[in-house]
């Protein structure tokens, strides 16, 4: 059985916030609540989900500025990569440059590291360290009961593009190494990016001009 995956597009930057749940137990996780927490919580309530974790793949404002509202509504703990906490701590100040007002990001309840596993009902999310867009950027991988891999890639990999590295903390060489790691995943891997449409590793390996090619 595949996980329940719903998407709420939030923030001035049209960020994909994913609500992922075990369809049997209705335990779930909220990934990258970047803004508009009331809309996110409405989807959580619609599916009757008990949120076990709130996760940010990295610390940019459009991935963290809805955390406070979702946390208040659900009581779920907030986890993110430690290397990106300074970005998240200052995100509400940075947002004001865009005339965007939001609550400060709460102190994380824990920090995510390579290989860590978050258990949500019968779902097991594995943390992958994929720096480059930011120093601490992580992705989450999940294998469903049929063996299909689901990858929540944040801003590392998009359909037809990759994360920018011209922002503070960005590193193109590190991003290329992270992309090489992702390109080694099976073609059938479903990719849920931080912005834009869902894609697959096979599609991006073949058609994305920004990912390293085999042997490259």
């Amino acid at each position: 059985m595949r996980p329940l995956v719903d998407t709420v597009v939030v923030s001035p930057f049209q960020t994909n916030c994913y609500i992922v749940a075990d369809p049997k137990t209705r335990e779930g996780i909220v990934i990258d609540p970047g803004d508009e927490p009331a809309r996110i919580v409405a989807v959580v309530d619609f599916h009757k989900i008990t949120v076990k974790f709130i996760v940010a793949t990295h610390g940019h404002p459009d991935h963290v500025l809805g955390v406070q509202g979702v946390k208040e509504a659900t009581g779920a703990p907030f986890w993110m990569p430690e290397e990106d906490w300074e970005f998240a701590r200052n995100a509400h100040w940075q947002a004001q440059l865009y005339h965007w007002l939001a609550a400060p990001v709460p102190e994380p309840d824990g920090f995510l590291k390579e290989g860590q596993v978050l258990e949500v009902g019968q779902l097991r999310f594995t943390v992958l360290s994929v720096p480059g867009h930011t120093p601490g950027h992580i992705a989450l991988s999940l294998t469903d009961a049929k063996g299909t891999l689901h990858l929540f890639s944040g801003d590392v990999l998009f359909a037809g593009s990759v994360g920018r590295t011209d922002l503070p903390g960005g590193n193109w060489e590190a991003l290329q190494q992270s992309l090489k790691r992702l390109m080694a995943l099976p073609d059938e891997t479903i990719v849920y990016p931080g912005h834009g449409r869902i894609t697959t590793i096979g599609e991006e390996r073949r058609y994305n001009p920004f990912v390293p090619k085999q042997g490259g």
Side-chain angles (χ1 to χ4, degrees), residues 155-174:
D155 283 3
V156 170
L157 177 65
F158 306 121
S161 189
V162 298
R164 59 189 296 184
T165 56
D166 60 334
L167 298 172
N171 185 303
W172 178 251
E173 289 74 22

Side-chain angles (χ1 to χ4, degrees), residues 76-141:
F78 167 49
W79 291 68
M80 69 170 294
E82 185 171 12
E83 298 91 337
D84 276 22
W85 169 230
E86 279 303 311
F87 292 140
R89 189 201 303 270
N90 296 305
H92 64 296
W93 298 117
Q94 185 181 356
Q96 291 184 21
L97 298 173
Y98 302 95
H99 306 287
W100 171 14
L101 300 179
V105 180
E107 190 88 21
D109 297 285
F111 292 113
L112 298 170
K113 298 184 182 298
E114 167 72 28
Q116 189 172 348
V117 175
L118 301 179
E119 296 189 6
V120 180
Q122 297 180 32
L123 307 179
R124 292 170 59 85
F125 296 84
T126 300
V127 176
L128 306 179
S129 177
V130 284
H133 180 62
T134 63
H137 200 299
I138 61 100
L140 293 176
S141 69

